[in-house]
Amino acid sequence: MTQNKLINLCNITKSYGDTLVLDDLNLYIRENEFLTLLGPSGCGKTTTLRIIGGFENPDRGNVIFEGKDITKLPPNERQLNTVFQKYALFNHMTIAENIAFGLKIKKKSKAYIQDKIKYALKLVNLDGYENRMPNSLSGGQQQRIAIARAIVNEPKVLLLDEPLGALDLKLRQDMQYELIRLKNELGITFIYVTHDQEEALTMSDTIVVMNQGYIQQIGTPEDIYNEPQNAFVADFIGESNIIAATMVEDRLVNILGTNFPCVDTGFGRNKPVDVVIRPEDIDLVEPEEDIITGVVTSLIFKGVHYEMEVLANGHEWLVHSTDLSPVGSKVGIKVDPFDIQIMNKPESEDEQATEIVE
Amino acid sequence: MQLKNILNHQVHKPSKQSHFNPRMKKMKWLTFPYIIWMIGFIILPLIMIVYYGLTTKTGGFTFENILLINDPINRKALILALQLSLISTIICLLLAYPLAMILSNAKMSSNNFIVLIIILPMWMNFLLRTIAWQNILERTGILNRILDFLHLPTLNIINTPAAIILGMVYNFLPFMVLPIYNVLIKIDKDVINAARDLGANSTLTFLKIILPLSIPGVISGITMVFVPSLTTFVISTILGGSKIVLIGNVIEQQFRLGNWHTGSGLSLVLMIFILFSMAVISKYDKESEGNLW
Ligand SMILES: Nc1ncnc2c1ncn2[C@@H]1O[C@H](COP(=O)(O)OP(=O)(O)O)[C@@H](O)[C@H]1O
Ligand SMILES: [Mg+2]
């Protein structure tokens, strides 16, 4: 956490007409970080990225880059490059001309440009494609050219807006590894936009979860997954059981009438809270005294594990397990104390979208 | 807005993926009326013009009708027509491109309104519009009366080449604006953003990205202005008086006099000129694609 803040977004506010898209957003990006903006469609991820790239001006607030205010700087004067969602290749130029575009503007020598083209094509595994036209390439190949076109300029920061969104699953997974490899090889900062939580968890150093123009939580993938700060984050990042509960005292929570030991402290006594329990953290055991018991109501084989629903104390518990409990069987529900994540209850519906200060 | 759609089609290069599916084959008979139409009204007249143009009144083969273009009067008419239509095309292009740029960047609502304004004159009869210009430009016409009223020197442009150019530009400008506008609005905003992102300022972005991507529209526009300008005889008759004779007037005169062979021969020459200029333009198009830097 001692690394430099490369980019600092301060109090960014942006609206289109009457719709407030970003409201007083604060965020910093450290050097060499792979930071992902994650959130449902329409939550303002692209707008944030476009403000960093210079394609959109914020109504209020500043974009600070290496200590300098670049809020008013046009995109061509910013030391960052963007990979657009729909590639945005220049269809009237060959692949080589596409990649050379930025370098020719910077008046680099012919030899330097030739070297760079070769190097970049190798990097994205498309050697020999110099003279092809963009239209003759597949979506995945075009996307890699878009990346090559951006990185030859040696930007300090690469902005990527759902770059893998249009690709099929297999190619998307391959490209995820390519991108991580590229990032490690090049040592540049990535700001990555996606609505795919799995992609975000796989690739990022830091995830910024957004909803309705507000930052919900900032943290490492482990933080976000294991310790979601509110129900929105818990729900958005993977499947989970989110249950209203009462914090009896430090390290003891009452869930649906049964006391569970947990590890959280500082919520006060008899305070209403939400608990998050990941489906894979629930153990189904023989019914016994003092634990919640219920009946298995559904069972689906998911390949790696079974997905079961257990009706217990009026709640449908989602359970992932490699051990099978047949439908109709009576089971007890057990959760280890550190697998219970306690969250403050939002005072109202609106507050779910409220910014959480880091 | 039908015309807009028609022009749209002109601009599109044939797409690579054909939309053929098995059901389309059954629909084939639907093309029949069009084929009949094309044979009856396009192919047949063309064959007749070629036939008349290459034969004498007695039916013998000859190049004489075509060579009549060497007649000083005819040659002068052709050269003048080429000059005037070239100038009008250039003026149209210079006026239309910025206009199309502004239109393509404007907000959607005002956008449609301006497009409407541009094509509105086309709803009036072409002849009426040209005669209206005659009335405006006449020695004692509206323009000169206004100038006179303001104690400004009057203008004498009726029956000059300038009046003809004005008529051509006025009548054919929409045919230049719309195809260019149509290609410009189809350029992905992110392609332009990408150029800016890679360091291009607005001038470079225009020269390297917008202009080359809009060339198909420009070519379409040039074709649609240059060809009717080159062949017109109505505009030159109404605004050019009897002294200015364009090749279109010569051909019209020949057909009126019943000299089908001469008229067809000269038409063939004109067609060759049009084909030649189209070839030059499309060659330029291909070269510009290869020579961006
Ligand atoms: N140019 C625009 N004009 C009007 N509204 C816009 C524009 N761009 C985005 N919006 C609105 O702003 C909100 C956020 O959009 P965006 O940043 O693209 O979301 P995301 O990328 O997270 O899906 C959406 O409600 C969208 O409708
Ligand atoms: Mg988006």
Side-chain angles (χ1 to χ4, degrees):
Chain A
M1 300 285 156
T2 52
Q3 281 163 302
N4 305 354
K5 293 179 188 177
L6 186 62
I7 297 177
N8 209 341
L9 302 180
C10 308
N11 311 101
I12 299 288
T13 302
K14 173 80 188 172
S15 33
Y16 291 109
D18 290 339
T19 35
L20 189 63
V21 178
L22 298 174
D23 188 8
D24 203 32
L25 179 124
N26 287 287
L27 176 69
Y28 60 83
I29 297 111
R30 286 183 290 262
E31 207 160 336
N32 250 326
E33 184 174 31
F34 194 125
L35 179 132
T36 299
L37 302 176
L38 173 67
S41 171
C43 72
K45 308 179 297 287
T46 297
T47 307
T48 309
L49 204 69
R50 294 171 78 86
I51 285 172
I52 300 173
F55 308 114
E56 211 73 75
N57 278 321
D59 302 338
R60 254 185 320 109
N62 299 304
V63 183
I64 312 291
F65 183 80
E66 292 187 314
K68 283 190 288 285
D69 189 332
I70 60 162
T71 318
K72 295 266 144 54
L73 218 57
N76 50 323
E77 290 171 32
R78 298 190 182 199
Q79 287 179 309
L80 17 96
N81 285 115
T82 310
V83 176
F84 293 88
Q85 181 160 10
K86 281 187 244 111
Y87 326 136
L89 294 180
F90 308 132
N91 284 331
H92 58 297
M93 300 181 190
T94 63
I95 297 306
E97 285 169 332
N98 265 277
I99 297 175
F101 191 86
L103 300 174
K104 279 176 177 165
I105 285 169
K106 294 189 195 76
K107 303 241 161 19
K108 302 284 186 191
S109 75
K110 269 215 161 74
Y112 177 86
I113 293 175
Q114 281 313 316
D115 280 356
K116 273 288 186 186
I117 294 174
K118 266 215 140 62
Y119 161 78
L121 284 176
K122 206 178 199 81
L123 208 58
V124 296
N125 282 328
L126 287 172
D127 330 50
Y129 278 67
E130 281 88 345
N131 295 320
R132 298 276 291 268
M133 296 306 278
N135 278 332
S136 72
L137 267 54
S138 73
Q141 291 173 329
Q142 289 194 37
Q143 189 57 277
R144 280 183 278 167
I145 297 300
I147 293 166
R149 183 179 68 175
I151 59 180
V152 288
N153 300 288
E154 299 176 1
K156 288 243 169 72
V157 184
L158 196 59
L159 310 176
L160 304 105
D161 190 355
E162 311 216 11
L164 311 182
L167 309 182
D168 57 48
L169 182 67
K170 180 78 181 71
L171 194 55
R172 199 157 69 223
Q173 285 167 344
D174 290 349
M175 284 295 292
Q176 286 174 6
Y177 290 111
E178 300 257 309
L179 281 175
I180 296 169
R181 178 179 62 85
L182 269 180
K183 200 227 145 215
N184 293 335
E185 260 172 56
L186 299 169
I188 51 182
T189 309
F190 274 41
I191 304 179
Y192 191 94
V193 162
T194 184
H195 65 263
D196 181 337
Q197 44 101 7
E198 242 176 79
E199 200 167 286
L201 292 172
T202 311
M203 304 174 78
S204 324
D205 299 322
T206 306
I207 295 178
V208 179
V209 184
M210 293 177 70
N211 189 30
Q212 295 176 19
Y214 293 98
I215 294 177
Q216 301 289 315
Q217 186 171 356
I218 303 176
T220 63
E222 290 84 1
D223 284 347
I224 300 274
Y225 189 83
N226 293 328
E227 287 156 41
Q229 286 183 14
N230 59 31
F232 173 81
V233 177
D235 193 35
F236 194 74
I237 308 288
E239 292 171 297
S240 55
N241 297 286
I242 303 170
I243 309 164
T246 311
M247 200 68 187
V248 180
E249 53 180 54
D250 279 359
R251 301 195 180 80
L252 191 66
V253 62
N254 186 292
I255 303 171
L256 303 169
T258 305
N259 283 343
F260 281 78
C262 64
V263 294
D264 296 74
T265 57
F267 283 88
R269 289 180 151 267
N270 295 319
K271 190 90 198 292
V273 290
D274 279 331
V275 298
V276 175
I277 303 170
R278 295 288 176 194
E280 66 273 20
D281 291 337
I282 296 175
D283 295 319
L284 297 181
V285 296
E286 286 297 314
E288 50 184 278
E289 288 286 302
D290 290 340
I291 63 169
I292 293 183
T293 55
V295 179
V296 179
T297 56
S298 88
L299 171 73
I300 302 167
F301 179 57
K302 287 270 183 163
V304 197
H305 57 76
Y306 295 98
E307 180 178 297
M308 286 159 286
E309 276 177 3
V310 178
L311 184 63
N313 289 19
H315 182 82
E316 288 273 4
W317 299 68
L318 189 69
V319 182
H320 290 173
S321 169
T322 47
D323 299 324
L324 176 154
S325 302
V327 174
S329 58
K330 271 195 140 214
V331 289
I333 287 174
K334 237 188 176 157
V335 188
D336 286 332
F338 47 83
D339 285 332
I340 297 175
Q341 165 68 13
I342 314 280
M343 304 177 303
N344 270 315
K345 232 182 166 38
E347 306 276 307
S348 67
E349 280 292 301
D350 278 354
E351 208 178 296
Q352 295 204 353
T354 309
E355 185 171 12
I356 287 167
V357 186
E358 223 195 349
Chain B
M1 300 277 149
Q2 238 175 0
L3 186 92
K4 215 169 118 188
N5 295 333
I6 295 166
L7 296 186
N8 230 331
H9 283 290
Q10 279 264 338
V11 171
H12 273 306
K13 294 196 167 159
S15 78
K16 292 226 173 73
Q17 298 129 320
S18 79
H19 301 286
F20 266 114
N21 60 36
R23 279 187 64 199
M24 286 288 277
K25 271 195 180 148
K26 283 187 199 149
M27 308 276 268
K28 226 175 172 177
W29 55 270
L30 264 182
T31 61
F32 200 62
Y34 298 102
I35 291 172
I36 295 281
W37 168 273
M38 284 188 339
I39 290 174
F41 293 93
I42 299 174
I43 311 281
L44 222 57
L46 215 58
I47 291 173
M48 278 166 72
I49 285 180
V50 174
Y51 170 75
Y52 279 112
L54 293 176
T55 52
T56 59
K57 281 206 169 77
T58 51
F61 177 82
T62 178
F63 275 125
E64 225 154 78
N65 300 319
I66 289 176
L67 291 176
L68 267 176
I69 197 66
N70 272 328
D71 176 277
I73 292 172
N74 296 347
R75 196 168 53 205
K76 204 175 138 224
L78 176 66
I79 290 171
L80 187 61
L82 281 170
Q83 283 171 337
L84 295 190
S85 47
L86 194 67
I87 293 170
S88 326
T89 308
I90 291 169
I91 293 175
C92 277
L93 184 59
L94 293 179
L95 290 177
Y97 205 101
L99 182 58
M101 286 277 282
I102 294 166
L103 276 180
S104 66
N105 286 322
K107 291 241 154 52
M108 252 336 196
S109 52
S110 55
N111 214 331
N112 281 335
F113 176 71
I114 303 175
V115 172
L116 184 71
I117 294 279
I118 290 169
I119 62 168
L120 202 60
M122 299 203 286
W123 293 358
M124 271 181 290
N125 183 287
F126 170 78
L127 262 177
L128 279 182
R129 275 179 288 148
T130 310
I131 290 170
W133 270 110
Q134 189 185 33
N135 285 325
I136 294 170
L137 298 177
E138 260 172 356
R139 219 166 290 267
T140 55
I142 298 164
L143 179 68
N144 278 341
R145 267 188 263 165
I146 294 171
L147 289 175
D148 200 37
F149 179 77
L150 299 170
H151 298 288
L152 291 168
T154 55
L155 281 173
N156 255 329
I157 60 170
I158 190 75
N159 300 342
T160 65
I164 298 179
I165 290 174
L166 183 81
M168 288 175 174
V169 170
Y170 178 78
N171 278 311
F172 301 134
L173 185 63
F175 296 103
M176 186 68 92
V177 176
L178 292 179
I180 297 177
Y181 167 78
N182 271 324
V183 284
L184 287 179
I185 53 165
K186 288 208 189 76
I187 298 177
D188 184 355
K189 280 278 175 298
D190 273 345
V191 168
I192 293 165
N193 282 340
R196 304 277 288 155
D197 185 74
L198 293 166
N201 56 28
S202 32
T203 317
L204 270 179
T205 306
F206 175 76
L207 290 176
K208 302 293 178 200
I209 307 295
I210 301 174
L211 189 61
L213 285 176
S214 67
I215 289 295
V218 170
I219 287 181
S220 183
I222 289 177
T223 313
M224 296 181 68
V225 171
F226 183 72
V227 173
S229 300
L230 185 62
T231 53
T232 188
F233 56 88
V234 175
I235 296 175
S236 45
T237 305
I238 297 175
L239 297 177
S242 53
K243 267 190 247 128
I244 301 178
V245 181
L246 301 187
I247 191 71
N249 300 85
V250 174
I251 294 170
E252 187 227 357
Q253 204 64 36
Q254 293 300 331
F255 276 104
R256 241 176 231 269
L257 295 173
N259 298 336
W260 285 38
H261 296 272
T262 317
S264 299
L266 293 176
S267 292
L268 279 180
V269 175
L270 205 49
M271 266 187 245
I272 290 163
F273 266 90
I274 290 168
L275 287 177
F276 177 74
S277 41
M278 292 304 106
V280 169
I281 290 172
S282 62
K283 184 165 181 292
Y284 169 78
D285 176 31
K286 291 212 183 75
E287 265 171 21
S288 74
E289 265 183 25
N291 268 333
L292 274 173
W293 296 88

